[in-house]
Amino acid sequence: MTDKQARWQNATVVECFDVAEGVKRIVVAPEHPQPARPGEHLDVLVTLSDGRTDERSYSIAGASPSGDRLAVSVSKPHASRGGSAFMRSLSPGDTLRITQPLQDFPLRVGAPSYVLLAGGVGITAIRGMASTLKRLGADYVLHYVGATRDRMAYLPQLEERHGDRLISHVTSEHGRMSVAQLVATVPANAELYMCGPIRLMEEIRRTWEREGRDITALRYETFGNSGWFEPTPFEVTIPRLGVTVTVGEGESMLEALENAGVDMMYDCRRGECGLCEVKILGLEGTVDHRDVFYSERQKSPNTKMCCCVSRVTGEPGHSVGQAKVIIEVT
Amino acid sequence: MTVEASSTHTAKLLTYPMNAWYVAAWDYEVTAKGILARTVAGRPLALYRTGDGRPVALADACWHRLAPLSQGKLIGNEEIQCPYHGLRYNSAGRCTGMPAQETINPSATVASFPVVDRYRYVWVWLGEPTLANPDDIPDMHQMSSDEWAGDGETIYAPCNYQLVLDNLMDLTHEEFVHSSSIGQEELSQSEFNVTHDEKSVTVTRWMKNINPPPFWLKNMRDKFPGFEGKVDRWQIIHYYYPSTICIDVGVAKAGTGAPEGDRSQGVNGYVMNTISPERDRSCHYYWAFMRNYRLDSQLITTQLRNGVHGVFGEDEVMLKAQQEAIDANPDYEFYSLNIDAGGMWVRRILERALAAEGRGAASPATGKPAS
């Protein structure tokens, strides 16, 4: 539930340090503290490499009870929309603009049991939920998936806090986790909360649906910043308007079109509402559908895409001219 | 003008804590056949029951364009459908159907508040859900006990909820407001004792060897036909956070040991009151009168309910007039009397709860009703 409007405020960076290989924890002191609840995130005004500013969402990785210290975790900037480099460049004493904690991923109190699933830096959002469930004495299991131990942030702390309730899946040690097996172990009355790379979440979602599970018991949020492919530049053309622009790897197709002066319609900017839909008239390359608006049936023919998050990519090592999409807009 | 919490003045419009259990409705008002719209602590709610009888309290505003869900309809075992564009939600407040698309936006939810059936009421928690503990629901066990019988009603009071708490914490007003039923001059002449802890306040008053007022003489005669004579009368007011007041009341034949604990020669009632703020200047005041004698008499149940209905009607008139006078005199303050000790401890408890939530105690007193 989005229960509040974002109010922007200044915050001062208090601490920055690595919590795992490639994962930096940034602690900020907001000007107007307020307590943070599990699943909440901050919107942050980031400066992109070309000097433009934009908003990015980061899950809250930890907070003091009064909310006068808020932590986010930021991973290395592959497959992100360009905000991570800015965040990782911060050092103590820097100021930035943030919102108060915002809730789009609420933990429901009172479910008979819970399964939490974190992939990589997705542990950021899930960790607070696990702590709350432990405090409430709830029945829960926490699955934590990572490539190697040293890339899994907060692993020792989680082991100490959650004991047997933590199940870690370290790919380098145990091989790839079986999603089918994981879904099969979720009790019928449980709610599954997940946060992680889109490939993992998509696989869970498909398995969940295939098994006929209650779709409302599968909880996740997407910031639209994770795709099936690395973001690479591609070209977009709107013949009717005579517009052709290149979408850089650090920006979205929606942003590139807006910058080119196209009057675009949108709302959520994270692949949920479908308002930014564009019709695909021609395609060279592959559409990297990163939204949760379309069903699989709607995605596969590549006749339309949500331009706020979805991208086009070519073969590895392709040039910009080899990844192209011709579209029509509303 | 704004009355600050730090002022030495007593807040005229006390705001309400959110981390608290409030009654949303009588149990019978919440059904699986329709949706009840009611605002509690400033939050409009759509209240209903699932097919298996579980109460549900959803925010009464569709995620999409905030149309009131309470004007929609119930579908299947637990779903509610928005009257405007047909979005459906389950009892957890999660969207289960959206028009004209094949998927459901995972962000599409409405708040589903913790809700509990207890003591003939449906209680709701509107604050931080991870703090909701049903053990903190105020003790109103007389409402659902085999040893007590009775019934009650709801008053819609056009005043700040704290004015009702003030009213119930100091019963000297009975002498003036309820002179024909329960009032008597000994009320304001007798001593009272106040105790408190973190979440409760108790005010005890005994009036010994007095003539019973009409209401109590009638009750004595229900149990002791033809009773005449003096009584010892008690009023023991129990306040429980945030806004429940259960008053142990009764009279016994004078000198038969009631003050020492032997109430066998008397009649005992419990006035059950729980007040749910609606907005700054309105509240739902749920009350019942319970008794522990002649439990099987519907005649007495009805007579007592009607009698208290009349008494509380007199309070309602006063509370409305008081709120209007407060609003008409925004530049005047509240001053206190010694008899306000109980009510002032209640304010202290509420103000501390509000401070813990990071909120000031006083609503802005603009002099104009907010709604």
Side-chain angles (χ1 to χ4, degrees):
Chain A
M1 123 200 76
T2 307
D3 56 0
K4 300 173 273 197
Q5 293 191 316
R7 291 187 308 275
W8 289 89
Q9 60 180 331
N10 287 323
T12 307
V13 177
V14 179
E15 272 185 295
C16 304
F17 55 95
D18 286 337
V19 280
E21 194 187 317
V23 183
K24 191 168 251 185
R25 182 176 171 91
I26 299 162
V27 182
V28 301
E31 198 176 16
H32 303 294
Q34 91 178 40
R37 297 173 296 174
E40 288 189 326
H41 67 272
L42 299 176
D43 282 353
V44 180
L45 208 59
V46 298
T47 306
L48 304 176
S49 53
D50 60 5
R52 288 182 299 115
T53 56
D54 202 1
E55 292 171 23
R56 292 289 185 270
S57 299
Y58 293 96
S59 296
I60 295 172
S64 60
S66 69
D68 63 353
R69 291 289 185 279
L70 299 172
V72 297
S73 315
V74 184
S75 58
K76 272 202 175 129
H78 63 228
S80 94
R81 292 186 295 150
S84 296
F86 168 81
M87 294 298 286
R88 295 176 64 86
S89 74
L90 293 169
S91 51
D94 289 349
T95 59
L96 68 168
R97 297 285 290 168
I98 66 170
T99 61
Q100 84 276 28
L102 299 171
Q103 181 63 278
D104 281 325
F105 191 32
L107 175 69
R108 183 172 82 101
V109 175
S113 69
Y114 298 84
V115 175
L116 307 177
L117 169 63
V121 77
I123 191 63
T124 299
I126 295 295
R127 190 183 176 205
M129 292 187 174
S131 286
T132 300
L133 292 176
K134 182 180 167 72
R135 174 169 68 76
L136 294 175
D139 181 13
Y140 70 97
V141 177
L142 167 57
H143 294 271
Y144 186 10
V145 189
T148 60
R149 263 176 203 279
D150 56 7
R151 288 173 66 175
M152 293 169 72
Y154 312 115
L155 190 54
Q157 295 95 317
L158 291 165
E159 281 169 344
E160 189 182 323
R161 189 171 181 91
H162 299 288
D164 291 346
R165 290 186 182 275
L166 173 71
I167 300 171
S168 15
H169 305 267
V170 186
T171 309
S172 65
E173 294 173 15
H174 315 115
R176 227 172 139 261
M177 179 188 74
S178 161
V179 163
Q181 265 179 32
L182 185 139
V183 170
T185 64
V186 177
N189 59 9
E191 298 192 344
L192 172 55
Y193 290 75
M194 61 175 181
C195 187
I198 195 166
R199 286 168 191 251
L200 176 64
M201 301 220 293
E202 279 288 331
E203 205 180 337
I204 296 275
R205 205 155 66 98
R206 285 179 194 167
T207 310
W208 194 263
E209 284 176 22
R210 196 171 55 236
E211 298 296 319
R213 308 289 295 244
D214 172 10
I215 195 68
T216 69
L218 180 62
R219 309 309 302 166
Y220 58 98
E221 74 178 335
T222 164
F223 297 141
N225 55 7
S226 166
W228 294 84
F229 305 98
E230 297 293 306
T232 51
F234 63 99
E235 195 180 274
V236 54
T237 300
I238 308 174
R240 180 170 62 83
L241 301 179
V243 169
T244 295
V245 292
T246 298
V247 182
E249 66 182 75
E251 65 182 343
S252 70
M253 183 166 148
L254 174 61
E255 289 163 346
L257 290 169
E258 285 176 324
N259 291 335
V262 183
D263 196 7
M264 297 295 294
M265 180 50 65
Y266 61 87
D267 186 23
C268 74
R269 297 185 86 103
R270 49 195 228 171
E272 293 181 356
C273 74
L275 265 184
C276 68
E277 169 178 290
V278 298
K279 285 196 183 67
I280 299 175
L281 307 177
L283 177 68
E284 273 182 54
T286 306
V287 179
D288 185 4
H289 288 287
R290 296 175 169 212
D291 64 277
V292 294
F293 173 70
Y294 295 124
S295 65
E296 294 311 314
R297 189 190 71 78
Q298 291 169 309
K299 281 175 184 169
S300 53
N302 287 333
T303 53
K304 45 195 179 178
M305 64 192 283
C306 288
C307 71
C308 69
V309 292
S310 298
R311 310 184 64 89
V312 174
T313 187
E315 293 301 313
H318 71 279
S319 64
V320 174
Q322 291 169 320
K324 286 186 192 173
V325 64
I326 302 166
I327 62 166
E328 177 58 300
V329 297
T330 56
Chain B
M1 183 184 79
T2 299
V3 180
E4 298 295 336
S6 58
S7 147
T8 56
H9 291 296
T10 303
K12 293 187 285 185
L13 271 185
L14 198 73
T15 191
Y16 27 79
M18 299 307 285
N19 287 331
W21 289 102
Y22 292 111
V23 165
W26 287 91
D27 55 8
Y28 69 82
E29 295 182 277
V30 181
T31 74
K33 296 202 165 99
I35 309 161
L36 174 69
R38 185 156 292 164
T39 295
V40 181
R43 177 65 65 193
L45 301 175
L47 296 153
Y48 66 95
R49 286 181 193 274
T50 62
D52 47 4
R54 204 160 41 83
V56 179
L58 300 182
D60 193 11
C62 181
W63 168 86
H64 171 222
R65 287 293 191 257
L66 307 182
L69 296 177
S70 58
Q71 292 178 24
K73 59 182 177 184
L74 301 179
I75 308 248
N77 185 53
E78 63 162 81
E79 291 186 357
I80 187 169
Q81 179 173 291
C82 176
Y84 202 174
H85 301 101
L87 279 81
R88 289 186 187 185
Y89 301 90
N90 64 16
S91 62
R94 288 173 185 158
C95 189
T96 56
M98 287 188 159
Q101 65 184 67
E102 297 187 2
T103 56
I104 294 168
N105 184 335
S107 293
T109 58
V110 294
S112 176
F113 298 100
V115 60
V116 173
D117 258 315
R118 192 170 293 178
Y119 309 136
R120 304 192 204 178
Y121 297 117
V122 173
W123 300 79
V124 66
W125 177 280
L126 302 169
E128 167 54 43
T130 63
L131 299 177
N133 180 353
D135 293 346
D136 294 333
I137 291 174
D139 177 10
M140 300 185 80
H141 71 272
Q142 293 86 351
M143 297 291 288
S144 46
S145 159
D146 292 343
E147 295 168 18
W148 297 83
D151 202 354
E153 293 177 352
T154 309
I155 295 169
Y156 181 75
C159 66
N160 183 251
Y161 78 115
Q162 174 64 34
L163 299 185
V164 184
L165 300 180
D166 279 345
N167 169 284
L168 292 164
M169 291 306 288
D170 167 46
L171 300 180
T172 46
H173 77 272
E174 290 182 359
E175 180 180 339
F176 307 99
V177 178
H178 311 303
S179 54
S180 67
S181 53
I182 52 176
Q184 59 186 152
E185 60 186 14
E186 289 87 349
L187 279 159
S188 59
Q189 290 167 2
S190 55
E191 300 268 314
F192 60 92
N193 185 46
V194 182
T195 60
H196 73 95
D197 62 24
E198 283 181 8
K199 296 282 182 190
S200 73
V201 180
T202 302
V203 179
T204 306
R205 174 183 265 138
W206 280 92
M207 291 152 279
K208 294 179 191 168
N209 203 35
I210 60 169
N211 290 316
F215 177 83
W216 285 113
L217 182 60
K218 186 263 179 211
N219 295 339
M220 276 298 275
R221 286 176 176 169
D222 281 341
K223 184 169 174 184
F224 306 101
F227 170 78
E228 293 284 352
K230 301 279 189 185
V231 294
D232 294 333
R233 180 180 178 186
W234 67 90
Q235 294 173 326
I236 304 169
I237 307 167
H238 299 283
Y239 160 84
Y240 306 115
Y241 172 84
S243 50
T244 292
I245 296 177
C246 302
I247 312 178
D248 175 6
V249 290
V251 298
K253 295 172 188 171
T256 56
E260 292 74 37
D262 177 5
R263 295 176 174 182
S264 62
Q265 297 306 300
V267 285
N268 190 184
Y270 249 89
V271 195
M272 315 300 291
N273 310 276
T274 186
I275 295 97
S276 298
E278 181 189 52
R279 299 184 189 282
D280 280 351
R281 288 173 174 80
S282 57
C283 54
H284 287 95
Y285 171 4
Y286 304 87
W287 64 264
F289 190 94
M290 306 300 291
R291 70 180 187 281
N292 65 355
Y293 56 94
R294 298 200 51 192
L295 300 181
D296 57 354
S297 170
Q298 182 60 42
L299 176 67
I300 294 175
T301 294
T302 301
Q303 284 173 337
L304 284 171
R305 190 185 64 214
N306 292 348
V308 177
H309 171 93
V311 171
F312 283 5
E314 294 169 331
D315 289 303
E316 200 179 334
V317 169
M318 175 51 65
L319 291 165
K320 178 172 186 288
Q322 184 189 10
Q323 184 66 60
E324 286 169 359
I326 289 168
D327 289 333
N329 294 280
D331 50 341
Y332 292 171
E333 299 299 338
F334 275 8
Y335 296 98
S336 297
L337 298 172
N338 171 263
I339 56 169
D340 296 316
M344 291 300 278
W345 276 113
V346 168
R347 285 170 179 270
R348 180 77 58 85
I349 288 170
L350 289 166
E351 283 165 0
R352 283 184 178 149
L354 288 162
E357 292 179 15
R359 299 156 68 214
S363 296
T366 60
K368 274 187 257 169
S371 54

